[in-house]
Amino acid sequence: MNKVRIGMIGYKFMGKAHSHAYRDLPFYFNLDTEPVLQTIVGRNELEVKLASEKLGWHSYDTNWRRLLERDDIDVIDIGTPNHTHAEIAIAAAEAGKHILCEKPLAMNAEEALKMWKAVRKAGVVHMISHNYRFVPAIQYIKKLITEGVLGEIYHFRAQYLQDWIMDPQFPLVWRLRKEISGSGTLGDLMSHSIDLARFLVGEFKEVTGMMNTFIKQRPLGEMAGGLSAQLSGEQLGKVDVDDAVAALVRFENGALGVFEASRFAKGNRNGNRIEINGSKGSIRWDMESMNTLQLYSEDDPAGMQGFRMIHCTEDVHPYTANYWPAGHIIGYEHTFINLMAEFMRGISTNTSPSPNFEDGYRNQLILDAIDKSSASGEWIKIHN
Ligand code: SOE
């Protein structure tokens, strides 16, 4: 068994999700590589020490640069705010470390391109953590589309709706500050929908977008783990990212796309949904019922046509044989375990599984175009 020693930077929401996935991976998957939770990094020593103990890491550090000098670290896992991704990833690639990076890959396409070039030059394995690709139902939809069950694809519809910042007193955390996050719902949520669309339908040809910021000032504060936050004073700061975004898309293959992402959709906690319509059938999927999908097929007998629910928990469904008997469902955390399995396979075969930094760059081209278009109102071509 080859040990792959991980150095992970960041220890909050994604730090917890990634730590859990590394720990549980050998429990469910028989791979020839096994992740070792070597060192976790954070700037606040007390907090990172506590995280290290709770999440099961062998050691902790307060400076990520020290990891790059160590021979006992094979992977750098980046779960820090977006404005740090490029600096860390490029330095990690130059130090010969494999890299897993949280999404969106970068602040803009220019930065993302530099990151992609750096990992190519260094010959390291790289991946971006678009975990929803690794929901069994999503992988199964890909299989159905590839086998022609939906026929020619005409429409891709995506909604990614949340509501955790609707209270005007919710503080101005880093996710709401452009200099740290690059964008708001666009990069945080719509990047996931774009990743699913590129995976299931194909490349984008052109886009037009619109955005709004409903609450323009908020009290200062910080993320406190998960999607909660704490105030750091009375002072107000300007919200300079989008609270909501919508985009229309033409795909290279002629399909049309409609995308919507919002943090102002009351009642939607993590409403990540897609619908795909083809010449022979349609599919609907919703993350909040992630183990199922709805399939309409024109091949069903007359009188029995309609959307039917498929439980993607049978052994024939991707990844599910690694877990429980049919009908015994999996959850959000398992999407990261499946992703880590692909990352470990990538390391043992020296290939970078999709979604990798190339996908991160192509995704970022689309994010930048939607951002630009929402200011100018124009349609923007995507130069893939
Ligand atoms: C917050 O909006 C967030 O945690 C995103 O950052 C994740 O990418 C998404 O999966 C869930 O919501």
Side-chain angles (χ1 to χ4, degrees):
M1 179 70 67
N2 296 318
K3 305 274 185 200
V4 176
R5 296 153 304 180
I6 316 289
M8 188 177 78
I9 312 165
Y11 54 87
K12 289 193 177 162
F13 189 5
M14 284 307 110
K16 182 173 170 184
H18 289 209
S19 301
H20 170 267
Y22 289 127
R23 285 177 67 166
D24 264 21
L25 182 60
F27 198 95
Y28 294 110
F29 285 75
N30 294 319
L31 301 171
D32 59 9
T33 46
E34 187 183 333
V36 176
L37 286 80
Q38 196 81 317
T39 304
I40 184 169
V41 178
R43 283 170 304 178
N44 180 315
E45 181 158 9
L46 180 61
E47 280 192 28
V48 76
K49 181 173 186 294
L50 291 174
S52 161
E53 285 158 11
K54 183 162 178 355
L55 303 176
W57 289 79
H58 293 314
S59 63
Y60 68 87
D61 202 325
T62 53
N63 184 346
W64 60 268
R65 288 196 181 273
R66 274 196 285 269
L67 299 188
L68 307 187
E69 291 156 17
R70 284 170 49 179
D71 293 337
D72 65 340
I73 298 285
D74 305 304
V75 165
I76 295 293
D77 180 324
I78 307 171
T80 49
N82 309 342
H83 71 318
T84 62
H85 290 182
E87 185 189 1
I88 300 174
I90 292 169
E94 285 167 356
K97 311 294 186 195
H98 305 305
I99 307 170
L100 177 65
C101 187
E102 261 305 322
K103 41 57 56 178
L105 188 59
M107 298 288 277
N108 51 51
E110 196 188 338
E111 238 186 39
L113 184 59
K114 284 188 193 147
M115 293 166 79
W116 181 29
K117 282 186 177 161
V119 289
R120 265 188 305 175
K121 185 167 173 214
V124 296
V125 174
H126 47 98
M127 205 172 170
I128 175 169
S129 182
H130 278 298
N131 58 306
Y132 299 113
R133 261 209 209 193
F134 300 96
V135 172
I138 293 291
Q139 294 282 330
Y140 194 60
I141 292 171
K142 172 76 176 175
K143 184 167 181 282
L144 294 176
I145 291 175
T146 307
E147 287 170 354
V149 173
L150 299 192
E152 185 185 345
I153 305 301
Y154 296 137
H155 292 287
F156 182 89
R157 217 162 282 119
Q159 289 180 327
Y160 200 149
L161 308 178
Q162 298 184 341
D163 65 355
W164 54 284
I165 61 165
M166 288 185 72
D167 178 354
Q169 288 309 306
F170 188 94
L172 187 67
V173 295
W174 71 263
R175 289 169 185 273
L176 306 183
R177 293 173 51 198
K178 195 175 173 71
E179 60 176 344
I180 303 183
S181 60
S183 66
T185 43
L186 177 65
D188 189 36
L189 302 182
M190 198 177 275
S191 70
H192 279 307
S193 306
I194 292 170
D195 184 65
L196 294 183
R198 288 187 59 253
F199 179 53
L200 297 171
V201 181
E203 291 301 348
F204 288 40
K205 187 174 176 193
E206 55 179 349
V207 299
T208 186
M210 67 176 182
M211 290 174 172
N212 207 353
T213 306
F214 300 114
I215 294 182
K216 304 209 171 8
Q217 285 206 317
R218 289 177 181 273
L220 303 185
E222 286 173 11
M223 297 299 296
L227 292 180
S228 63
Q230 68 205 15
L231 291 172
S232 58
E234 301 278 291
Q235 207 187 327
L236 294 180
K238 183 170 180 259
V239 182
D240 53 5
V241 298
D242 53 293
D243 286 334
V245 52
L248 298 180
V249 171
R250 277 184 210 284
F251 289 87
E252 296 275 7
N253 62 12
L256 300 183
V258 179
F259 291 70
E260 185 190 11
S262 178
R263 291 171 174 154
F264 275 68
K266 230 353 159 216
N268 289 276
R269 305 297 195 227
N270 196 35
N272 179 5
R273 306 175 194 123
I274 60 171
E275 176 164 326
I276 307 173
N277 312 118
S279 55
K280 295 171 53 139
S282 292
I283 271 178
R284 292 177 181 152
W285 172 82
D286 180 347
M287 179 61 196
E288 291 188 31
S289 316
M290 62 166 267
N291 289 285
T292 65
L293 62 82
Q294 306 275 339
L295 172 70
Y296 172 91
S297 169
E298 68 169 15
D299 293 337
D300 286 345
M304 291 183 67
Q305 291 194 343
F307 278 92
R308 67 186 135 104
M309 188 192 285
I310 298 178
H311 282 264
C312 297
T313 59
E314 311 276 335
D315 279 4
V316 293
H317 295 116
Y319 298 117
T320 53
N322 293 288
Y323 296 102
W324 311 114
H328 295 70
I329 56 174
I330 60 168
Y332 175 68
E333 66 273 36
H334 298 89
T335 64
F336 291 91
I337 300 178
N338 298 341
L339 184 151
M340 297 311 178
E342 297 307 340
F343 187 48
M344 290 298 129
R345 284 189 188 115
I347 289 174
S348 61
T349 56
N350 203 31
T351 49
S352 297
S354 188
N356 52 38
F357 280 22
E358 174 177 0
D359 295 289
Y361 164 64
R362 297 196 186 287
N363 194 314
Q364 196 79 52
L365 282 175
I366 298 163
L367 298 176
D368 286 9
I370 294 171
D371 193 2
K372 192 170 164 212
S373 151
S374 60
S376 66
E378 63 191 319
W379 277 88
I380 298 186
K381 298 232 178 303
I382 308 296
H383 298 289
N384 284 294

